[in-house]
Amino acid sequence: MSLSTIAAVVGALSIKFWPFQGASSVAGPSGYVCNLDYTPEILSTEPLMIYLNDFLSPYEINHLLAMNSDWTYSTENSTDAEEKAFQRTSGYFIVEDKPDEVTACIVRRADTLVGFIPSEGLELLQIGRTQEGQEHPLHWDYLLEPDVNSEGKLCNRAASFFIFLSDVAEGGETYFPYLDAPQGDWPVDEKKFRRPKHKDSVGTMLRPVKGNGVFWMNILKNGTLEERSRHAGMLVKKGTKYGLNILVEQCV
């Protein structure tokens, strides 16, 4: 099992898991209510890909963005030109493993979709920021060099969530080249999806819609890489894009 070297930049996190417990369904001390509701929309069965409508509330998004710490950039310490060419130019930070009522609820909401998929839990939540002129080239979240846990098991990212924390004025789509777009007339919501503009391009682009996101599998049934899970964060042409990565770990 494995994760992409490119994706290692997004999450070389030494497999520190986020606890699943917590998240009450009643109002917490701040008056915040943990609501596990969202609306799923199947985009593909091979690979499994599910669009998530209203996965995060405006309150939860504001809470996450207020946790802002120093942004890390993948190319900061790299001197290799080829390595730099394939690394993201956007920044990210890791949400510390001290869940409050909001982050615990988000984790629990993700867990309701993970369901029966065997997993050890989630990596620490990652919040990414892509500013004008920045992008994240095609990559897999699957690690080509899996982590090894204390029991000697190989751990990899079985599945991923990516949730938009902002709208973007222009650009910043999440592009899946192997997600077949509907043929003929475009029968889907153009506020959420679009075809690549070049006539020879394939796949589907997901427009940044604040609070919405997507879930997909990174592995096949035999635990190997699902190559069709390759994706990219397109160039932000105007505005700033914020997103939440939730990565599901599986060890064998």
Side-chain angles (χ1 to χ4, degrees):
M1 299 179 61
S2 34
L3 267 178
S4 161
T5 310
I6 305 168
V9 171
V10 185
L13 303 181
S14 68
I15 306 305
K16 194 171 183 183
F17 295 125
W18 190 276
F20 270 137
Q21 70 267 20
S24 170
S25 59
V26 298
S30 69
Y32 168 74
V33 177
C34 178
N35 186 335
L36 302 182
D37 293 340
Y38 56 91
T39 304
E41 184 176 349
I42 295 175
L43 301 180
S44 169
T45 55
E46 292 187 9
L48 178 62
M49 191 174 296
I50 302 172
Y51 191 82
L52 309 171
N53 295 279
D54 301 315
F55 191 80
L56 294 179
S57 70
Y59 180 91
E60 291 166 341
I61 291 170
N62 291 338
H63 181 85
L64 290 172
L65 294 178
M67 302 174 78
N68 183 8
S69 59
D70 292 335
W71 297 96
T72 299
Y73 294 88
S74 64
T75 57
E76 280 183 343
N77 300 315
S78 175
T79 57
D80 184 87
E82 184 175 0
E83 181 182 354
K84 282 178 176 286
F86 286 96
Q87 288 182 336
R88 65 192 294 176
T89 56
S90 52
Y92 67 94
F93 73 86
I94 309 303
V95 176
E96 295 298 329
D97 57 339
K98 299 173 183 176
D100 55 33
E101 57 188 2
V102 175
T103 54
C105 182
I106 293 170
V107 168
R108 184 176 173 188
R109 190 178 300 134
D111 195 26
T112 65
L113 186 60
V114 172
F116 285 3
I117 298 172
S119 75
E120 272 57 49
L122 307 179
E123 289 187 14
L124 299 185
L125 306 181
Q126 303 175 34
I127 296 177
R129 180 185 67 183
T130 310
Q131 298 174 300
E132 285 187 25
Q134 295 180 334
E135 61 186 340
H136 192 176
L138 283 168
H139 63 283
W140 294 288
D141 288 349
Y142 180 92
L143 295 170
L144 298 178
E145 296 182 4
D147 290 285
V148 181
N149 69 8
S150 59
E151 300 175 356
K153 294 182 178 180
L154 300 181
C155 299
N156 217 317
R157 294 164 176 165
S160 299
F161 295 76
F162 182 75
I163 314 299
F164 297 108
L165 301 181
S166 65
D167 299 319
V168 177
E170 185 178 358
E173 300 92 345
T174 298
Y175 174 45
F176 290 91
Y178 296 103
L179 175 58
D180 292 333
Q183 299 302 307
D185 293 337
W186 191 243
V188 296
D189 188 343
E190 292 188 349
K191 292 181 180 179
K192 298 190 296 188
F193 312 103
R194 77 169 180 87
R195 292 188 179 99
K197 291 182 178 179
H198 192 277
K199 63 181 180 67
D200 296 325
S201 297
V202 295
T204 303
M205 291 186 173
L206 278 56
R207 298 179 187 272
V209 177
K210 187 175 180 178
N212 291 4
V214 61
F215 166 90
W216 69 90
M217 294 296 299
N218 295 313
I219 60 173
L220 300 168
K221 289 183 179 180
N222 62 6
T224 60
L225 170 63
E226 168 54 270
E227 295 191 12
R228 295 170 295 183
S229 65
R230 199 176 187 209
H231 58 287
M234 302 303 289
L235 182 71
V236 173
K237 299 178 181 179
K238 186 177 182 181
T240 300
K241 172 185 173 183
Y242 291 93
L244 172 66
N245 292 288
I246 306 175
L247 301 165
V248 181
E249 286 291 338
Q250 186 181 96
C251 300
V252 295

